Amino acid sequence: MAISSRQWLMGLLSLVSVLALSIPAQAHLGHEHQDIPIDAPMEAVQSGGGQPNPFNPSRSSNGAIAGQVQLQLAAQPPLSGIIPAQQPVRLKLEAVDRQKTPIQQAQWQITLNTPPTNPWLTTDFPIVEGTTLLNAELKSAEDTLELETILPIRGAYRLQATATAPGMDAPVTQTFVLNVPENPVKYRNAATLAVILLLLGLVGGWVIARQPQKREDSQELAQSVRLLLSGAAVAAIVALLAVNLSAEQAAQSHAERSLNQNLSRTTAEVGSLKLEYLGDTIATVGKLADLSARLMDTRTNQPIQDVTFQLKAKDAEHGATVLAIAGKPNASGIFTWQQQFFDGAPHQIQIEALSPTSSKPVTLTQAIEVEGIAPPMSVRLKTLGYMTAIVAIGMAIGFGAGRMKRGSRRFKGFLKPNPGRF
């Protein structure tokens, strides 16, 4: 049984619609998280601008000339070698004077912003684009402030760091640009999909052009093809709307379940020390969650200032560490930070507090429920448009080649001698 042009068009458009619906929603699934190799090299990150350092010749208590302090950032492994959403990177910040001597007792304000939205090419996590990934005010436990994090998408991140220390007459601010390349596997998969769609279009165009038809039926067929294309486009848009609405309803029901769970804030005690988690228990992809903890002395009911906090935020499904930082509490004795969870999966926060008055650290684990957000409709429509364009180009080439082949056969038949003509 011969396959009609209508069947070819319907099959191709249905395939493109299914691919466009499934790829953005499943783009982030199946990631294999990696650890930072012990022997990974360290790379210095260049500053992308910042507040100029005011000049003041008076020396600070750190031995540094206030106003001539420079902030330095190093990444391990080099940013050009990491894979977004899979491989973590360790960032080391330090403030040094003109003699490259580290500044002691520095207090940091850091803000890590994700790359802006690309109007043409989306990423695996479109909701995360153009948002803040981390915002924290920390006191470095040592000369260097270290943090380990996973950068979820490709592009240019901007890390703004502000440092203050005793003896400095003004804060020092610098902005660093972290350029993260795309996963090479993404390019390979995109090229493979484009070739498949182009070949499907070529075959479809060739079959349509090679089908025999009567002259009086050509206009009717063209009208039918136009109606078929219009109907398929409307059906694809309706399907996209239905899938998007169902995803929104699923996300809403997920949020309602999270609210109904009402996760409690955990505490842990060792002797007279009590570690309390004070932050949010429910987070949303694309938004910062307010997180904090403190170590209390149950004898005086006062927070302990001389304590070092070690924090690890982990993806509960994959076991990957998405953030690891260490620092000291603020003047109120509270260790605070704002963090965005880019993956809509349950997370766990592990906090360890170590005080010089105790030989044993106090640790707790807090569960965080993360509400996922479905990709925007514009992303799905954009993907559908790209795929449809590739198929249309293939069909145009195949149709033209089929017409040329058919025309050449007719021309050869016309030139062939026919005794019946004379």
Side-chain angles (χ1 to χ4, degrees):
M1 181 178 179
I3 300 177
S4 66
S5 59
R6 297 183 182 183
Q7 292 173 329
W8 268 105
L9 287 172
M10 182 62 71
L12 289 175
L13 290 173
S14 300
L15 175 63
V16 172
S17 300
V18 171
L19 290 174
L21 289 170
S22 60
I23 289 180
Q26 304 295 332
H28 66 283
L29 298 181
H31 284 169
E32 296 181 359
H33 295 276
Q34 307 173 8
D35 294 327
I36 300 177
I38 298 177
D39 57 349
M42 185 75 67
E43 175 192 46
V45 180
Q46 298 298 324
S47 174
Q51 178 180 336
N53 300 331
F55 178 77
N56 189 332
S58 61
R59 288 186 175 272
S60 69
S61 59
N62 287 307
I65 299 178
Q68 293 187 358
V69 177
Q70 182 183 9
L71 306 186
Q72 296 180 346
L73 175 65
Q76 182 188 23
L79 296 174
S80 58
I82 69 171
I83 301 176
Q86 297 186 27
Q87 186 176 4
V89 60
R90 183 178 292 114
L91 302 176
K92 294 186 177 182
L93 271 166
E94 65 176 352
V96 297
D97 61 13
R98 189 167 53 181
Q99 287 76 33
K100 303 300 181 182
T101 303
I103 304 298
Q104 303 292 327
Q105 300 178 1
Q107 183 170 349
W108 297 85
Q109 172 66 45
I110 57 174
T111 302
L112 179 59
N113 296 319
T114 60
T117 302
N118 190 316
W120 302 106
L121 296 175
T122 186
T123 62
D124 288 354
F125 300 93
I127 301 297
V128 179
E129 298 172 7
T131 61
T132 300
L133 199 62
L134 176 66
N135 183 37
E137 184 175 346
L138 305 169
K139 288 183 179 179
S140 54
E142 300 178 355
D143 297 342
T144 302
L145 177 66
E146 294 189 15
L147 65 96
E148 180 181 323
T149 185
I150 291 181
L151 303 177
I153 59 178
R154 67 173 186 273
Y157 292 79
R158 297 183 69 85
L159 175 63
Q160 180 175 310
T162 301
T164 58
M168 292 177 57
D169 57 349
V172 179
T173 300
Q174 284 184 242
T175 301
F176 301 89
V177 179
L178 288 68
N179 292 303
V180 177
E182 180 60 283
N183 187 351
V185 177
K186 299 292 182 180
Y187 293 118
R188 184 191 65 189
N189 294 342
T192 302
L193 179 60
V195 170
I196 293 175
L197 293 176
L198 188 64
L199 291 177
L200 288 174
L202 284 169
V203 174
W206 177 273
V207 171
I208 294 174
R210 298 285 293 166
Q211 279 191 341
Q213 55 177 312
K214 298 180 182 180
R215 294 182 178 178
E216 56 271 15
D217 294 338
S218 61
Q219 186 175 2
E220 181 182 353
L221 179 60
Q223 181 67 21
S224 301
V225 170
R226 286 194 294 268
L227 292 175
L228 182 61
L229 287 172
S230 301
V234 172
I237 293 175
V238 171
L240 286 169
L241 288 172
V243 171
N244 190 69
L245 290 176
S246 62
E248 293 293 340
Q249 292 176 356
Q252 184 177 0
S253 61
H254 176 79
E256 292 177 354
R257 289 195 302 269
S258 301
L259 291 174
N260 292 333
Q261 287 179 0
N262 193 17
L263 297 176
S264 59
R265 296 179 175 88
T266 58
T267 60
E269 293 189 32
V270 173
S272 61
L273 301 180
K274 182 179 181 181
L275 180 59
E276 299 176 333
Y277 175 77
L278 307 175
D280 297 337
T281 58
I282 299 175
T284 304
V285 175
K287 298 180 180 179
L288 289 173
D290 295 320
L291 311 173
S292 59
R294 67 180 177 183
L295 184 65
M296 298 288 294
D297 188 341
T298 56
R299 295 170 299 184
T300 62
N301 200 28
Q302 294 294 325
I304 299 177
Q305 296 285 347
D306 188 12
V307 57
T308 300
F309 290 92
Q310 298 280 349
L311 159 74
K312 283 188 178 181
K314 291 188 174 183
D315 187 331
E317 290 185 353
H318 305 95
T321 300
V322 298
L323 178 65
I325 56 176
K328 291 182 172 295
N330 56 23
S332 301
I334 301 177
F335 181 60
T336 63
W337 74 100
Q338 289 182 309
Q339 175 187 354
Q340 179 187 166
F341 300 91
F342 60 85
D343 195 359
H347 285 68
Q348 288 183 345
I349 295 179
Q350 299 176 359
I351 304 175
E352 178 182 288
L354 180 59
S355 174
T357 60
S358 175
S359 60
K360 185 178 180 181
V362 187
T363 61
L364 65 78
T365 300
Q366 174 66 49
I368 303 293
E369 189 71 22
V370 181
E371 177 188 354
I373 303 295
M377 177 65 69
S378 59
V379 173
R380 297 178 179 270
L381 291 176
K382 192 184 305 178
T383 305
L384 176 62
Y386 288 152
M387 293 183 176
T388 304
I390 295 174
V391 173
I393 292 172
M395 291 187 67
I397 296 174
F399 187 82
R403 284 294 187 183
M404 291 177 62
K405 184 70 174 178
R406 189 173 181 181
S408 63
R409 286 189 176 182
R410 289 182 179 178
F411 183 71
K412 290 180 180 180
F414 177 78
L415 295 179
K416 183 177 181 180
N418 187 359
R421 295 179 181 174
F422 305 99

